[in-house]
Amino acid sequence: MAQPATGPAEGPCSAWPESSVHPVDEKLPASRLFPAALQHIAAMYAGVVTPPLIIGQAVGLDTAGMTQLIAASLLIAGLATLLQALGAGGFAGNRLPFVNAASSAGIAPMLAIAETSVPGHQLPQIYGAVLVAGVFCLALGPFFGRLLRFFPPLVTGVVITLIGVTLMPVPVAWAQGGDQNAADFGAMKYLALAAFTLAVILLIQRFGRGFVKQVALLMGMFIGTLAAIPFGLAHFSALKSAPLAALPTPFAFGAPEFQPAAMLSLCIVMLVLMTESSAGMLALGEICERPTDGRTITRGLRTDGIATLLGPVFGGFPTSAFAQNVGVVSLTKVRSRYVVAAAGGALLVLGAFPVLGAVVSLVPMPVLGGAGIVLFGSIAVSGIRTLSEAGLDDSSNIILVAVALGAGIVPLAAPASYAGFPSWAQTVLGSGISAGALVAVLLNLFFHHLGTHSRTAVALKSS
């Protein structure tokens, strides 16, 4: 796998003379700063609110609880993004236009934890596992550069693909109304609204231009919600009870509880998130013409760990890089880290006003279902794109991917497969992401690292 470049992590690279300001450190005027920051918020907003929406629904939170989860997710995303962009001395922050927020990669394992937990203890056990994952990231961060070779595109591609595939039942259930115990679950009115939302998103993506095209997902959700009002499928009464301004209450959902299998599953996910963050920093360094070295990666991963560690305190989830925002930098050519810092500040403001989170939580379930098919499908496509760069012309790599994907799909295709296993094994193997990641890592070691140097060369060729 490509190793971090050597050389100084900070300051202008050799292509920029000392007398000029590197584009990464450029402070743009407000007329350019705020529109550019808005593009970053638009690109990430749906992804930021997705984990609290899914987890909140799974554990049965009411509108007030959902509002609090969303506000916490926005708050943690703002803090993490500000810390990455501005830095904290030599301790944390990669000082790149790098956006951090709650990752969708942790959703499936957290759902598995919720399913195997006693009612009332679901969020505490999730947050205990998240807290341990944050400590794990902080401890491993300084050494992670040496471990990247064990997480080539073969492994990360499998995991990212499984994230999208294993999450697909969630938007399908949303499209049918969300409540599987309701008498009208799967009614045609719900399916029609979900199909309408999906169609709107596709039309905007096809005919939209520039900024409009970038926010197709949000616009589809907005138009879908408006369409739901005449049919009585959108309810806004809960807005009256949502506080206008308030900060998330520490440990509002209970003190963290520590369950070994839950902690193991999220530590595995954290390894994948650290790999994604490292790859994102390397890619962004190339885009910004500021090469990324080991110290920069360590500071960036330390920020991931800090944000993940703070998550359980306020109601947040595992935090990592947002790849879509790396794409925004590449597309717009605006490389100033202060643009991303402004976006982080805006996320802080959004998190401090729970009424804004309440607006998002009131989007009808079928509307979320139509949008979710696009969102989670695109995650799977990202994994497939990664696998396409992973040297699949080699038969060993094909077998590795086939077996790992199979292991990850078993819990989805046959949910009762591990019913006779101990509870800790059900938590790990019952999550397609955890099971697939474990198999991918072990098979990568078997095929490419256990005394077979030629195989190792093949595995690393695509990195």
Side-chain angles (χ1 to χ4, degrees):
M1 183 169 226
Q3 297 297 314
T6 57
E10 301 176 42
C13 68
S14 59
W16 299 93
E18 293 291 337
S19 58
S20 65
V21 176
H22 193 283
V24 169
D25 300 316
E26 185 182 3
K27 295 181 180 179
L28 302 178
S31 59
R32 293 180 58 200
L33 179 74
F34 292 115
L38 182 60
Q39 287 188 88
H40 279 284
I41 295 171
M44 73 180 295
Y45 192 83
V48 174
V49 302
T50 294
L53 278 173
I54 296 176
I55 301 302
Q57 289 285 338
V59 301
L61 291 183
D62 57 13
T63 301
M66 295 284 289
T67 299
Q68 192 164 3
L69 273 189
I70 292 170
S73 187
L74 292 167
L75 183 73
I76 296 297
L79 288 171
T81 299
L82 277 169
L83 183 56
Q84 285 286 28
L86 300 180
F91 180 73
N94 55 33
R95 293 181 179 83
L96 291 168
F98 200 72
V99 172
N100 276 69
S103 171
S104 296
I107 293 175
M110 288 188 289
L111 289 177
I113 295 170
E115 290 173 2
T116 56
S117 301
V118 177
H121 294 265
Q122 296 146 313
L123 280 176
Q125 289 200 7
I126 288 173
Y127 285 136
V130 173
L131 192 150
V132 171
V135 174
F136 178 72
C137 180
L138 285 172
L140 193 61
F143 315 103
F144 191 70
R146 304 172 191 172
L147 301 177
L148 281 176
R149 66 194 184 95
F150 298 113
F151 297 89
L154 279 172
V155 175
T156 57
V158 165
V159 175
I160 298 169
T161 301
L162 286 173
I163 290 170
V165 171
T166 58
L167 286 176
M168 196 53 68
V170 174
V172 172
W174 286 350
Q176 298 176 85
D179 185 0
Q180 299 187 27
N181 297 317
D184 62 349
F185 180 75
M188 186 56 65
K189 60 181 179 180
Y190 297 140
L191 295 173
L193 181 57
F196 172 76
T197 303
L198 177 58
V200 170
I201 293 171
L202 294 175
L203 288 171
I204 294 173
Q205 187 67 33
R206 172 63 179 84
F207 298 106
R209 294 291 183 270
F211 179 73
V212 172
K213 190 172 183 176
Q214 287 183 356
V215 296
L217 202 66
L218 289 178
M219 289 188 67
M221 292 169 66
F222 176 72
I223 295 172
T225 301
L226 291 179
I229 295 175
F231 301 97
L233 299 178
H235 307 283
F236 300 96
S237 57
L239 283 176
K240 299 176 183 178
S241 60
L244 178 62
L247 291 176
T249 305
F251 301 113
F253 301 100
E257 299 176 6
F258 302 97
Q259 204 271 343
M263 293 186 291
L264 175 61
S265 65
L266 281 195
C267 283
I268 292 172
V269 170
M270 202 70 223
L271 283 171
V272 176
L273 296 183
M274 293 170 73
T275 304
E276 288 185 347
S277 274
S278 299
M281 283 183 266
L282 290 167
L284 198 56
E286 292 295 323
I287 292 169
C288 294
E289 299 180 64
R290 173 171 281 180
T292 303
D293 70 355
R295 289 174 296 170
T296 305
I297 290 177
T298 296
R299 292 198 306 269
L301 293 178
R302 195 170 281 143
T303 302
D304 287 358
I306 292 170
T308 301
L309 191 60
L310 282 177
V313 177
F314 297 105
F317 299 110
T319 298
S320 181
F322 261 42
Q324 56 265 54
N325 292 87
V326 175
V328 171
V329 174
S330 178
L331 181 67
T332 64
K333 309 301 182 186
V334 178
R335 294 174 280 181
S336 171
R337 58 191 173 103
Y338 296 103
V339 167
V340 166
L347 291 171
L348 276 180
V349 172
L350 291 171
F353 289 88
V355 68
L356 298 173
V359 171
V360 176
S361 68
L362 294 174
V363 174
M365 284 290 105
V367 173
L368 287 174
I373 289 173
V374 178
L375 179 63
F376 299 139
S378 65
I379 294 174
V381 170
S382 296
I384 294 170
R385 184 170 58 235
T386 300
L387 286 173
S388 70
E389 304 169 357
L392 291 183
D393 53 338
D394 180 83
S395 60
S396 296
N397 291 349
I398 294 173
I399 294 296
L400 186 159
V401 173
V403 175
L405 285 176
I409 293 174
V410 164
L412 185 65
S417 297
Y418 303 111
F421 284 54
S423 59
W424 64 267
Q426 290 184 44
T427 302
V428 176
L429 298 176
S431 164
I433 297 173
S434 296
L438 274 174
V439 171
V441 170
L442 291 175
L443 289 181
N444 181 56
L445 288 172
F446 176 71
F447 281 120
H448 302 306
H449 292 278
L450 294 181
T452 312
H453 299 293
S454 60
R455 291 274 186 205
T456 303
V458 173
L460 302 180
K461 182 180 178 181
S462 61
S463 304

